[in-house]
């Protein structure tokens, strides 16, 4: 039997439906995945024994699965061993918007929210592949250039994965949106773009002379937008999925 091909959009339910400013909501996989793949850090929300927590962590996407890692001593990760409902969110801040009224001050942004059940990746080979994928997702080809991880390093690291059961994106990109009757008021208004960029590399002072920059780091040029670089590196590692 051939594997089912995911539909172009995630199902819309009470859990993932954008309820406020619903016109900004998007449920198509292309929009959700682009927001996820352009980020390095996500926030994972979950509840343990009635207490809510929200943990920032590096993450990556492979198809319809999201993965993240952390210390094996982490309470969050240990609680996920038998499966834990979680909500993973990502936000890109694109601009600050100054308006002529406090009500219309705003920000342009792209955000994604994904729901699923997180479980620890236990099988040794799958865990090793996931740890390599984590490195290569951010730095293409990097894992093959490194010394092998020690048994203690692998033991100290826990990998968690979840299938995306439901997801939605929310996007604001319209900049200034004042009321028509306010437009002639002599109040300064502006849109301030906000961009995360790569800085100039600072090589280790003990790096042996003549050590070349690996091909996988070719995209890390000063001034490059981080979200664009992360999208490019995800395509290099995982293709068009």
């Amino acid at each position: 039997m051939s594997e089912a091909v995911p539909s172009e959009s995630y199902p819309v339910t009470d859990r993932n439906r954008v309820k406020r400013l619903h016109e900004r909501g998007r449920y198509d996989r292309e929009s959700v995945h682009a927001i996820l793949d352009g980020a390095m850090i996500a926030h994972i929300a979950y509840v343990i024994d009635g207490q809510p927590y929200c943990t920032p962590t590096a993450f990556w996407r492979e198809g319809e699965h999201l993965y993240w890692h952390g210390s094996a001593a982490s309470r969050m990760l240990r609680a996920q061993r038998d499966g834990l409902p979680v909500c993973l969110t990502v936000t890109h801040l694109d601009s600050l918007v100054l308006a002529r009224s406090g009500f219309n001050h705003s920000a342009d942004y792209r955000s994604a929210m994904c729901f699923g059940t997180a479980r620890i990746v236990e099988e040794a080979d799958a865990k090793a592949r996931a740890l390599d994928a984590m490195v290569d997702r951010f730095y293409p080809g990097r894992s093959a250039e490194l010394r092998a991880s020690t048994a203690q390093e692998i033991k100290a690291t826990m990998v968690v994965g979840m299938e995306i059961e439901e997801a939605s994106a929310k996007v604001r990109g319209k900049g200034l949106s004042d009321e028509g009757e306010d437009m002639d008021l002599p109040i300064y208004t502006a849109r301030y773009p906000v961009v995360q960029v790569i800085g100039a590399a600072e090589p280790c002072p003990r790096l042996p002379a003549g050590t070349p920059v690996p091909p996988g780091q070719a995209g890390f040029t000063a001034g490059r937008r981080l979200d664009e670089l992360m999208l490019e590196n995800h395509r290099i590692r995982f293709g068009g999925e």
Side-chain angles (χ1 to χ4, degrees):
M1 180 181 296
S2 60
E3 185 176 347
V5 177
S7 65
E8 293 183 357
S9 296
Y10 288 102
V12 181
T13 70
D14 287 340
R15 184 164 65 163
N16 72 324
R17 186 190 307 276
V18 175
K19 297 177 176 63
R20 183 178 179 275
L21 300 173
H22 59 84
E23 68 276 7
R24 297 181 185 175
R26 301 181 185 179
Y27 305 94
D28 61 287
R29 282 176 161 78
E30 182 178 2
S31 294
V32 172
H33 292 175
I35 292 169
L36 294 172
D37 300 343
M40 292 188 69
I41 302 296
H43 286 78
I44 316 293
Y46 52 98
V47 175
I48 299 176
D49 296 330
Q51 172 63 49
Y53 297 90
C54 186
T55 303
T57 182
F59 83 106
W60 69 102
R61 180 184 68 86
E62 297 184 36
E64 290 300 311
H65 287 78
L66 299 172
Y67 295 92
W68 57 94
H69 84 296
S71 166
S74 164
R75 172 170 50 186
M76 173 188 77
L77 298 181
R78 284 187 283 113
Q80 292 168 343
R81 187 171 301 277
D82 297 323
L84 181 69
V86 300
C87 176
L88 180 149
T89 64
V90 163
T91 302
H92 300 272
L93 176 62
D94 294 324
S95 77
L96 306 176
V97 179
L98 278 70
R100 293 173 175 84
S101 68
F103 181 80
N104 284 325
H105 274 64
S106 191
D108 289 328
Y109 61 87
R110 292 161 288 143
S111 64
M113 182 177 291
C114 302
F115 298 91
T117 301
R119 291 183 172 83
I120 292 174
V121 178
E122 301 274 18
E123 200 273 321
D125 288 344
K127 182 177 179 181
R129 287 194 300 271
L131 291 174
D132 284 347
M134 178 193 68
V135 174
D136 290 339
R137 180 264 178 275
F138 300 124
Y139 313 102
R142 183 71 172 162
S143 64
E145 302 163 354
L146 306 177
R147 69 157 173 81
S149 297
T150 66
Q152 182 56 38
E153 288 172 338
I154 294 176
K155 181 179 179 180
T157 305
M158 196 173 287
V159 177
V160 179
M162 81 171 206
E163 181 179 2
I164 303 175
E165 298 169 5
E166 297 164 12
S168 61
K170 192 174 182 182
V171 178
R172 184 192 193 276
K174 64 180 180 180
L176 184 65
S177 182
D178 267 328
E179 311 300 337
E181 59 269 26
D182 291 342
M183 288 298 187
D184 293 330
L185 293 175
I187 300 171
Y188 183 76
T189 60
R191 176 181 181 272
Y192 293 104
V194 177
V195 181
Q196 270 191 304
V197 298
I198 299 294
E202 300 176 358
C204 173
R206 296 182 60 179
L207 191 69
T211 302
V213 177
Q217 270 63 69
F220 285 80
T221 56
R224 180 86 185 272
R225 284 181 56 133
L226 178 63
D227 57 348
E228 292 178 352
L229 176 59
M230 289 299 99
L231 277 170
E232 178 181 284
N233 288 350
H234 186 277
R235 295 189 190 102
I236 292 173
R237 175 59 181 82
F238 298 112
E241 65 179 31

